[in-house]
Amino acid sequence: MQETLAKSPYFDPPIETFQNLYKTWGQSQYGLLLTGQVQIDRRFLSISGDVCCHEKSLEPQVLDKWKAWASIAQKEGTPCIVQLAHPGRMSPAGAGIRPLGMRPLCPSEVAVELGDTWLDKLALSKVLGTPKAMSHEEIDEIVAMFVHAAIVAREAGFAGCQIHGAHGFLVSQFLSPRTNRRTDEYGGTPEKRLRFLQRLVQEIRARCPPPFALGVKLNSADYMDKGEGLEQEEGLEQVRWLRECGMVDFVEISGGNAEQKHSGLHNSFGKRTIGEAPKMKESTRIREAFYTEFAEKVKAMDSPVPVQLSGGFRSRTGMADAIQSGACDMIGLGRAAVLQPDLPREVLLSPAYDDDGSFAKSHIIRGQWLGRFIPAKVVGARLPIQVFYYNMRRLGAGLKSDPDISIPGILLLGLWETMRSGLSNTLQKIIASWGGWPVKVE
């Protein structure tokens, strides 16, 4: 859900495009809106174009933009929550404002491994490199930045914030034994790996008490080989603390990261999870969500804190079944909200569709064959996400989504942009198909 619409050097909320994008979502009868990632440090972005909370965000002229964003999103009565993030070692050179030579941050010096070709390794070494293990002073600084961003969201009038602790970004880097090899109070045991997230929850809640909502998005697992990353047993204990600490209002379940070696769910652009939505029967459980099994284990805990399950949902029947069976309390939609932004109002909640016909369009992306001809797998395998960036740009421009656009079609449009804005800009956008490469937004 990264909108990639903000502009450097401050990456403030781009009200001129959010006026259309968030107005569309706000009018579509979702129960809750979660923003795209808002980065908390201008030096380290995951992709150029993310909104960023910075040192001047509480100044009136900047805070007014945040207030306008909150007003647009919540005008029809739908609460909106700001997702706060830091990419850690997934921050590419050129995406933020950090000086040349400053390395991305990580709990430990563990380089990203993606692809096996020499082109993959060359690209990673040039764009990401080996991250810097964070000092205690840097940890304190980043915690303070998360708290500052939560305060900005509160002062702007948003309903709450969510800490992004999944998908291989900084918080999940602390939580995973693959990227957290520290031996101090922030690593070495499952309990110590949880300490960074605990500080974020405790210090945000101390400054932003209820009714300001606080949620956390967590991985169910890293989907690495056995012993290489976060596994479900440790993930369950992380969720248990969140649901029992008394400071968190909801937990979202997701999974995977850029380095995952199995599951394949995090980037399932070519998988049709459900073709037709059969009528729900007690004897026929539809398990179309990706992380249902893990969510059911979470729900078995004795806690009143709601669980949000995101990823894979397409049908009214599957969503209703997940809630009624007790697998989760809330349904998260991402890609569907881009390809069909008015999906709840027009289909899922509409009496014009019965249960047999109430389901979202397929998310199979056209033209994925092109990725097989790109020698760098890091680039080719991530091209499909460009379809969603492209469609959010369309929505921001006041146009309708084009779910049938193909990857070659987007690249042809990029060639047209080349004639206007130069080859460098377009190449960066192509590479940015993996959600962590730099995009120069002009």
Side-chain angles (χ1 to χ4, degrees):
M1 301 303 290
Q2 292 174 280
E3 309 95 349
T4 68
L5 293 169
K7 297 180 179 180
S8 61
Y10 287 100
F11 302 99
D12 293 323
I15 300 305
E16 66 279 4
T17 52
F18 280 5
Q19 175 67 45
N20 297 316
L21 181 61
Y22 278 86
K23 179 181 178 182
T24 299
W25 285 328
Q27 292 177 337
S28 296
Q29 293 184 272
Y30 293 93
L32 171 71
L33 297 182
L34 282 167
T35 71
Q37 289 181 35
V38 170
Q39 306 301 335
I40 54 93
D41 187 341
R42 283 196 299 144
R43 297 171 300 178
F44 304 102
L45 303 187
S46 67
I47 182 171
S48 186
D50 280 346
V51 175
C52 185
C53 186
H54 53 81
E55 63 276 9
K56 297 184 178 181
S57 292
L58 283 174
E59 294 182 3
Q61 66 272 24
V62 180
L63 187 60
D64 284 346
K65 298 178 182 179
W66 284 81
K67 290 180 178 179
W69 183 15
S71 177
I72 292 165
Q74 300 177 128
K75 184 176 181 181
E76 301 299 323
T78 301
C80 184
I81 285 177
V82 178
Q83 185 182 81
L84 304 179
H86 189 298
R89 69 178 184 147
M90 307 301 289
S91 177
I97 64 164
R98 74 175 185 265
L100 186 66
M102 178 181 285
R103 293 190 289 167
L105 302 177
C106 187
S108 305
E109 291 194 6
V110 182
V112 177
E113 296 180 9
L114 281 170
D116 300 319
T117 70
W118 68 270
L119 277 176
D120 287 317
K121 295 175 181 178
L122 178 63
L124 289 172
S125 67
K126 296 297 184 182
V127 180
L128 290 178
T130 300
K132 176 185 181 297
M134 296 172 68
S135 67
H136 283 77
E137 291 75 17
E138 287 168 329
I139 291 174
D140 291 342
E141 180 183 31
I142 296 302
V143 169
M145 287 179 170
F146 268 99
V147 174
H148 171 72
I151 292 171
V152 170
R154 183 197 65 197
E155 292 301 302
F158 284 98
C161 68
Q162 181 193 50
I163 300 169
H164 192 330
H167 300 170
F169 294 118
L170 183 63
V171 177
S172 63
Q173 289 163 28
F174 271 93
L175 295 172
S176 173
R178 174 172 175 77
T179 44
N180 186 347
R181 303 176 186 179
R182 303 174 72 97
T183 56
D184 59 7
E185 63 267 40
Y186 292 99
T189 67
E191 295 76 19
K192 290 181 179 179
R193 285 193 287 271
L194 186 58
R195 179 60 189 144
F196 181 73
L197 176 58
Q198 288 175 330
R199 280 195 63 186
L200 294 181
V201 169
Q202 292 163 348
E203 296 188 31
I204 288 175
R205 183 48 89 200
R207 296 294 302 276
C208 301
F212 187 80
L214 177 58
V216 178
K217 180 174 184 173
L218 280 189
N219 272 359
S220 56
D222 284 344
Y223 296 111
M224 305 293 292
D225 289 339
K226 185 73 173 178
E228 287 193 13
L230 179 71
E231 298 179 12
Q232 287 197 9
E233 294 77 11
E234 185 170 345
L236 280 170
E237 292 308 307
Q238 293 168 358
V239 176
R240 186 184 305 278
W241 183 85
L242 291 172
R243 297 192 77 207
E244 294 178 352
C245 71
M247 292 176 281
V248 173
D249 295 295
F250 70 100
V251 176
E252 179 182 359
I253 302 300
S254 190
N257 60 47
E259 296 176 293
Q260 68 184 61
K261 296 181 179 179
H262 54 90
S263 173
L265 297 177
H266 186 47
N267 292 304
S268 58
F269 297 106
K271 298 181 186 295
R272 188 185 300 272
T273 58
I274 190 166
E276 294 183 356
K279 293 182 179 179
M280 182 169 55
K281 300 177 182 178
E282 289 187 12
S283 60
T284 306
R285 294 280 307 281
I286 299 176
R287 301 168 65 86
E288 64 185 21
F290 295 154
Y291 310 107
T292 302
E293 181 181 354
F294 183 84
E296 288 174 334
K297 294 178 180 179
V298 171
K299 283 290 290 176
M301 300 175 185
D302 184 17
S303 170
V305 175
V307 173
Q308 175 183 328
L309 187 55
S310 304
F313 284 109
R314 300 291 181 270
S315 72
R316 175 196 294 167
T317 305
M319 297 176 200
D321 178 65
I323 292 174
Q324 292 180 3
S325 68
C328 63
D329 305 289
M330 301 190 292
I331 302 296
L333 298 178
R335 299 169 189 172
V338 176
L339 301 183
Q340 289 176 273
D342 56 1
L343 179 65
R345 184 186 69 231
E346 294 298 321
V347 179
L348 298 175
L349 303 176
S350 172
Y353 293 88
D354 62 14
D355 288 345
D356 288 321
S358 179
F359 55 89
K361 294 178 180 178
S362 169
H363 293 182
I364 296 178
I365 303 302
R366 297 173 58 202
Q368 295 188 68
W369 54 265
L370 184 63
R372 296 195 296 269
F373 295 94
I374 298 178
K377 295 180 182 179
V378 170
V379 177
R382 306 294 171 163
L383 283 177
I385 194 68
Q386 268 294 345
V387 170
F388 299 92
Y389 291 152
Y390 167 79
N391 276 302
M392 279 189 280
R393 290 196 296 269
R394 285 183 61 88
L395 292 170
L399 304 173
K400 292 185 177 180
S401 287
D402 181 7
D404 296 321
I405 188 73
S406 68
I407 294 171
I410 290 177
L411 296 184
L412 286 174
L413 289 173
L415 290 176
W416 169 248
E417 289 183 8
T418 298
M419 299 173 63
R420 297 184 302 168
S421 58
L423 179 62
S424 176
N425 189 38
T426 300
L427 288 176
Q428 286 187 60
K429 287 187 177 182
I430 293 172
I431 293 174
S433 55
W434 170 57
W437 296 82
V439 177
K440 181 181 178 183
V441 180
E442 294 183 347

